[in-house]
Amino acid sequence: MTPDHLRAALTERMTEQGAKWLAGACASVTTDPGVVRGLFPLAGRRCGRGPLDPADPHGWTVDDAARSLLLAALPLTGAPLLEEIGELYRTGDAAERRAVLRALPLLPVGDGGLPLVRDALRTNDTRLVAAALGDYATDHLDAETYRQGVLKCVFTGIPLAALPGLPGRADAEMARMMAAFAHERRAAGRTVPDDIAPVLALFPDVTVPGPRDLQDVSTATTATTATSSITATSSTTDRPSPREA
């Protein structure tokens, strides 16, 4: 997604009143970056919260797009920009954090957004995990963490089709992990998600999991379970921020 793509998509999903509010908010942020902290939480109520594409319920939302355009309007770079988006992420609700993650590819932050991506991947909030593995992670996240994130999607039921960069980032090691996961599911008499098949098909020579692969799956399962007890804040429902009430 680019800012132009987001603006075009929003023309079909926002009211005229919402569009005027967003245009004014972006202009205000350009003039005075500090006002973004007050405007960012308001985007859901002012612009809407439904899917940006009704056919893609796991993709961008209207408020994701509006908040991303607010961040893209910031006249900041380097450390000041990272400090601003980091503060919005840390103090935001689940929807606001997701928007920061979605916006990362639009911002000149280099690898500076990776701590936010890794934080989101440690949660059990499926919306944050899916957003964390977007275009920014495709370009910047290391191979090991990306693989573990994809496997977490499989465990938590996030459709792999929601990960735009997966075909290009899939590798033999990821396929081995998927094969091990499928092996354990079948051995337990459980179904295997259909969407791992395209990953396995990319590496047809990976068929029989070895001890290391089974250990990778076991470790990922343990990590996924362990995070549930420490992510109550990030795993809340997508309710309006108290600041929007």
Side-chain angles (χ1 to χ4, degrees):
M1 284 285 190
T2 67
D4 286 342
H5 289 146
L6 294 178
R7 291 187 192 97
L10 282 171
T11 60
E12 303 295 326
R13 303 295 294 159
M14 275 197 309
T15 65
E16 182 179 352
Q17 184 178 12
K20 288 181 178 179
W21 181 88
L22 181 58
C26 288
S28 296
V29 165
T30 301
T31 303
D32 180 5
V35 303
V36 72
R37 299 192 186 188
L39 295 171
F40 198 71
L42 298 176
R45 177 159 59 88
R46 297 286 188 159
C47 301
R49 298 188 179 91
L52 191 60
D53 178 358
D56 183 13
H58 299 285
W60 286 66
T61 62
V62 172
D63 51 325
D64 284 342
R67 289 183 172 118
S68 293
L69 290 176
L70 281 174
L71 296 185
L74 285 169
L76 303 174
T77 59
L81 177 59
L82 287 171
E83 180 179 355
E84 191 62 62
I85 65 173
E87 181 65 15
L88 291 171
Y89 180 89
R90 286 188 296 272
T91 61
D93 64 12
E96 292 162 36
R97 293 183 181 190
R98 185 184 65 225
V100 172
L101 295 166
R102 297 274 197 211
L104 287 175
L106 311 180
L107 307 176
V109 295
D111 289 340
L114 286 174
L116 303 183
V117 170
R118 294 191 177 102
D119 178 83
L121 291 176
R122 286 192 292 268
T123 77
N124 277 348
D125 188 321
T126 55
R127 298 156 302 174
L128 292 185
V129 173
L133 289 174
D135 291 333
Y136 181 82
T138 299
D139 294 337
H140 295 274
L141 197 61
D142 65 276
E144 181 179 358
T145 307
Y146 190 87
R147 292 186 204 110
Q148 292 291 338
V150 172
L151 195 61
K152 185 166 187 174
C153 288
V154 175
F155 282 124
T156 57
I158 299 170
L160 296 188
L163 311 184
L166 179 57
R169 288 296 305 263
D171 56 17
E173 182 68 15
M174 183 186 294
R176 280 192 288 270
M177 295 169 71
M178 294 291 186
F181 168 77
H183 173 83
E184 287 206 340
R185 296 278 291 194
R186 293 189 184 104
R190 304 174 66 187
T191 59
V192 177
D194 292 337
D195 58 355
I196 75 169
V199 176
L200 297 177
L202 292 172
F203 303 92
D205 294 336
V206 177
T207 55
V208 180
R212 182 189 63 174
D213 304 297
L214 293 174
Q215 179 61 39
D216 285 342
V217 170
S218 177
T219 299
T221 306
T222 301
T224 298
T225 302
T227 57
S228 63
S229 64
I230 60 173
T231 58
T233 299
S234 295
S235 302
T236 55
T237 57
D238 196 1
R239 63 184 185 278
S241 166
R243 290 169 285 177
E244 294 190 59

